[in-house]
mmCIF file of all heavy atoms in Angstrom:
data_model
loop_
_atom_site.group_PDB
_atom_site.id
_atom_site.type_symbol
_atom_site.label_atom_id
_atom_site.label_comp_id
_atom_site.label_asym_id
_atom_site.label_seq_id
_atom_site.Cartn_x
_atom_site.Cartn_y
_atom_site.Cartn_z
ATOM 1 N N GLY A 36 42.183 47.406 59.929
ATOM 2 C CA GLY A 36 41.718 46.214 59.226
ATOM 3 C C GLY A 36 40.661 45.532 60.051
ATOM 4 O O GLY A 36 40.661 45.661 61.275
ATOM 5 N N PRO A 37 39.752 44.807 59.412
ATOM 6 C CA PRO A 37 38.712 44.105 60.167
ATOM 7 C C PRO A 37 39.331 43.028 61.063
ATOM 8 O O PRO A 37 40.508 42.698 60.919
ATOM 9 C CB PRO A 37 37.830 43.472 59.078
ATOM 10 C CG PRO A 37 38.614 43.541 57.823
ATOM 11 C CD PRO A 37 39.650 44.589 57.971
ATOM 12 N N ASN A 38 38.533 42.471 61.954
ATOM 13 C CA ASN A 38 39.018 41.377 62.799
ATOM 14 C C ASN A 38 39.595 40.279 61.948
ATOM 15 O O ASN A 38 39.013 39.909 60.936
ATOM 16 C CB ASN A 38 37.848 40.780 63.591
ATOM 17 C CG ASN A 38 37.618 41.565 64.852
ATOM 18 O OD1 ASN A 38 38.556 42.134 65.399
ATOM 19 N ND2 ASN A 38 36.385 41.598 65.301
ATOM 20 N N GLY A 39 40.726 39.764 62.364
ATOM 21 C CA GLY A 39 41.325 38.654 61.628
ATOM 22 C C GLY A 39 42.142 39.085 60.431
ATOM 23 O O GLY A 39 42.627 38.243 59.666
ATOM 24 N N ALA A 40 42.328 40.391 60.252
ATOM 25 C CA ALA A 40 43.055 40.885 59.071
ATOM 26 C C ALA A 40 44.548 40.561 59.136
ATOM 27 O O ALA A 40 45.226 40.529 58.114
ATOM 28 C CB ALA A 40 42.854 42.393 58.934
ATOM 29 N N GLY A 41 45.069 40.358 60.355
ATOM 30 C CA GLY A 41 46.495 40.045 60.489
ATOM 31 C C GLY A 41 47.294 41.099 61.243
ATOM 32 O O GLY A 41 48.514 40.993 61.348
ATOM 33 N N LYS A 42 46.621 42.093 61.798
ATOM 34 C CA LYS A 42 47.310 43.197 62.488
ATOM 35 C C LYS A 42 48.146 42.688 63.663
ATOM 36 O O LYS A 42 49.316 43.028 63.800
ATOM 37 C CB LYS A 42 46.285 44.234 62.989
ATOM 38 C CG LYS A 42 45.362 44.768 61.914
ATOM 39 C CD LYS A 42 44.364 45.776 62.478
ATOM 40 C CE LYS A 42 43.357 45.221 63.486
ATOM 41 N NZ LYS A 42 42.409 44.222 62.938
ATOM 42 N N SER A 43 47.504 41.883 64.517
ATOM 43 C CA SER A 43 48.241 41.409 65.701
ATOM 44 C C SER A 43 49.357 40.465 65.295
ATOM 45 O O SER A 43 50.427 40.467 65.920
ATOM 46 C CB SER A 43 47.291 40.696 66.673
ATOM 47 O OG SER A 43 46.405 41.631 67.239
ATOM 48 N N THR A 44 49.138 39.680 64.276
ATOM 49 C CA THR A 44 50.204 38.783 63.802
ATOM 50 C C THR A 44 51.416 39.609 63.398
ATOM 51 O O THR A 44 52.556 39.282 63.747
ATOM 52 C CB THR A 44 49.687 37.945 62.612
ATOM 53 O OG1 THR A 44 48.563 37.175 63.054
ATOM 54 C CG2 THR A 44 50.763 37.018 62.091
ATOM 55 N N ILE A 46 52.304 42.585 64.459
ATOM 56 C CA ILE A 46 52.952 43.144 65.651
ATOM 57 C C ILE A 46 53.659 42.049 66.446
ATOM 58 O O ILE A 46 54.765 42.238 66.950
ATOM 59 C CB ILE A 46 51.919 43.924 66.488
ATOM 60 C CG1 ILE A 46 51.598 45.206 65.712
ATOM 61 C CG2 ILE A 46 52.444 44.225 67.893
ATOM 62 C CD1 ILE A 46 50.774 46.218 66.410
ATOM 63 N N ASN A 47 53.054 40.870 66.520
ATOM 64 C CA ASN A 47 53.690 39.775 67.261
ATOM 65 C C ASN A 47 54.970 39.299 66.581
ATOM 66 O O ASN A 47 55.913 38.861 67.250
ATOM 67 C CB ASN A 47 52.709 38.615 67.440
ATOM 68 C CG ASN A 47 51.576 38.982 68.406
ATOM 69 O OD1 ASN A 47 51.705 39.927 69.187
ATOM 70 N ND2 ASN A 47 50.483 38.260 68.339
ATOM 71 N N GLN A 83 48.157 43.324 72.375
ATOM 72 C CA GLN A 83 46.694 43.446 72.465
ATOM 73 C C GLN A 83 46.164 42.909 73.800
ATOM 74 O O GLN A 83 45.278 43.504 74.390
ATOM 75 C CB GLN A 83 46.053 42.692 71.298
ATOM 76 C CG GLN A 83 44.546 42.876 71.228
ATOM 77 C CD GLN A 83 43.960 42.430 69.898
ATOM 78 O OE1 GLN A 83 44.648 41.945 69.017
ATOM 79 N NE2 GLN A 83 42.666 42.609 69.752
ATOM 80 N N GLU A 84 46.712 41.778 74.249
ATOM 81 C CA GLU A 84 46.205 41.226 75.514
ATOM 82 C C GLU A 84 46.982 41.826 76.676
ATOM 83 O O GLU A 84 48.192 41.917 76.644
ATOM 84 C CB GLU A 84 46.330 39.704 75.611
ATOM 85 C CG GLU A 84 45.942 38.934 74.394
ATOM 86 C CD GLU A 84 47.136 38.711 73.497
ATOM 87 O OE1 GLU A 84 48.052 37.995 73.918
ATOM 88 O OE2 GLU A 84 47.157 39.266 72.392
ATOM 89 N N ASP A 157 49.086 47.794 69.945
ATOM 90 C CA ASP A 157 48.015 46.946 69.399
ATOM 91 C C ASP A 157 46.728 47.204 70.180
ATOM 92 O O ASP A 157 46.563 46.703 71.286
ATOM 93 C CB ASP A 157 48.434 45.473 69.495
ATOM 94 C CG ASP A 157 47.622 44.589 68.554
ATOM 95 O OD1 ASP A 157 46.668 45.100 67.933
ATOM 96 O OD2 ASP A 157 47.947 43.393 68.437
ATOM 97 N N GLU A 158 45.863 48.010 69.621
ATOM 98 C CA GLU A 158 44.570 48.358 70.235
ATOM 99 C C GLU A 158 44.740 48.898 71.663
ATOM 100 O O GLU A 158 44.118 48.385 72.598
ATOM 101 C CB GLU A 158 43.653 47.127 70.270
ATOM 102 C CG GLU A 158 43.616 46.416 68.945
ATOM 103 C CD GLU A 158 42.241 46.422 68.333
ATOM 104 O OE1 GLU A 158 41.302 46.981 68.935
ATOM 105 O OE2 GLU A 158 42.117 45.890 67.218
ATOM 106 N N THR A 188 47.538 50.138 65.961
ATOM 107 C CA THR A 188 46.354 49.488 65.411
ATOM 108 C C THR A 188 45.183 49.859 66.312
ATOM 109 O O THR A 188 45.337 50.003 67.527
ATOM 110 C CB THR A 188 46.444 47.943 65.345
ATOM 111 O OG1 THR A 188 46.044 47.413 66.599
ATOM 112 C CG2 THR A 188 47.831 47.467 65.003
ATOM 113 N N HIS A 190 40.553 49.917 66.649
ATOM 114 C CA HIS A 190 39.212 49.707 66.114
ATOM 115 C C HIS A 190 38.470 51.021 65.986
ATOM 116 O O HIS A 190 37.415 51.085 65.384
ATOM 117 C CB HIS A 190 38.421 48.823 67.081
ATOM 118 C CG HIS A 190 38.362 47.426 66.610
ATOM 119 N ND1 HIS A 190 39.311 46.500 66.947
ATOM 120 C CD2 HIS A 190 37.495 46.803 65.784
ATOM 121 C CE1 HIS A 190 39.017 45.356 66.357
ATOM 122 N NE2 HIS A 190 37.923 45.519 65.646
HETATM 123 MG MG1 MG B 2 44.384 41.945 66.807
#
Side-chain angles (χ1 to χ4, degrees):
N38 275 331
K42 305 179 295 295
S43 291
T44 300
I46 288 189
N47 291 341
Q83 186 166 2
E84 316 91 66
D157 199 354
E158 312 243 0
T188 85
H190 259 89

